[in-house]
Amino acid sequence: MLHYPETQDKLREEIMKVLGCSARPSMSQKVDMPYTCAFIQEVYRFRTLVPLNVPHKTNKSFDINGYTIPKGTTISTNIWAVHNNPDVWDEPNKFKPERHLDDKGNFVQSKHVIPFSVGPRHCLGEQVARMEVFIFLVSLVQKFEFLPDPDATDLPDIDNGANGTAFVPFPYQLVAKEI
Ligand code: HEM
């Protein structure tokens, strides 16, 4: 939001239109908030939280795309590559929530945004995480404007971070100005 302040303004505009400044958000309002849904889907795509997924081990040998993967091989699937595939995404290195809206401004759920992975072992907490992200984001943007730290020379680094299983930003300061 600090790097793309115009998206923060659009987000707040929609939140204020649907909720005003005091109503509590609930999941049922998602249908009336396409820009918010697009913003969240773009966050999931733009900064993949678990870039190389959780490693899995093959329990039998199998063939894929001309390669034989032996039994017992540790596999890391590259979710980051799916989210940054230039054949699918125009300018993948730019944060553009609008890419998830159709001509009429409706939100378009993408099968190419898979932050929780796919298949039988996909994230068990997906539904609770999606609820938390929606409710927390809407509540925070409804109550605060997020601004850069006036004492910092640069904006927080969004290209680099601590990269373990999860990719998380380095610590940074910002101003949360009450609305
Ligand atoms: C935005 C937040 C989250 C993201 C992006 C995320 C992503 C992931 C990913 C990529 C995996 C690996 C799936 C695989 O092995 O294919 C995973 C596994 C898992 N996640 Fe999450 N997760 C999130 C939040 C949560 C929360 C809030 C919970 C618990 C309430 C949770 C519980 C789990 C569990 C239990 C597994 C292991 C599932 C299994 O191995 O069968 N996650 N998550």
Side-chain angles (χ1 to χ4, degrees), residues 45-113:
R45 185 199 69 79
F46 185 68
R47 282 299 169 265
T48 306
L49 186 61
V50 192
L52 292 179
N53 209 345
V54 171
H56 290 258
K57 201 175 211 178
T58 52
N59 55 11
K60 59 180 181 188
S61 168
F62 67 98
D63 296 327
I64 185 167
N65 288 349
Y67 294 93
T68 299
I69 312 291
K71 178 179 175 181
T73 306
T74 300
I75 307 274
S76 291
T77 47
N78 194 337
I79 301 180
W80 184 92
V82 176
H83 289 174
N84 288 273
N85 182 353
D87 295 339
V88 174
W89 306 108
D90 170 45
E91 298 189 298
N93 57 346
K94 296 226 168 99
F95 182 77
K96 296 199 283 192
E98 283 79 8
R99 65 170 92 238
H100 306 292
L101 297 172
D102 69 13
D103 299 346
K104 296 188 179 117
N106 299 314
F107 170 61
V108 182
Q109 182 90 43
S110 173
K111 65 177 192 287
H112 298 282
V113 180

Side-chain angles (χ1 to χ4, degrees), residues 49-50 53-54 56 115-117 121-125 128-129:
L49 186 61
V50 192
N53 209 345
V54 171
H56 290 258
F116 301 96
S117 185
R121 295 297 296 269
H122 80 282
C123 175
L124 206 57
V128 79

Side-chain angles (χ1 to χ4, degrees), residues 127-140:
Q127 294 313 322
V128 79
R130 284 188 185 276
M131 280 195 266
E132 283 178 347
V133 168
F134 179 80
I135 300 286
F136 271 72
L137 177 74
V138 171
S139 306
L140 287 170

Side-chain angles (χ1 to χ4, degrees), residues 163-175:
N163 208 356
T165 301
F167 177 76
V168 290
F170 294 127
Y172 63 91
Q173 309 263 357
L174 55 68
V175 172

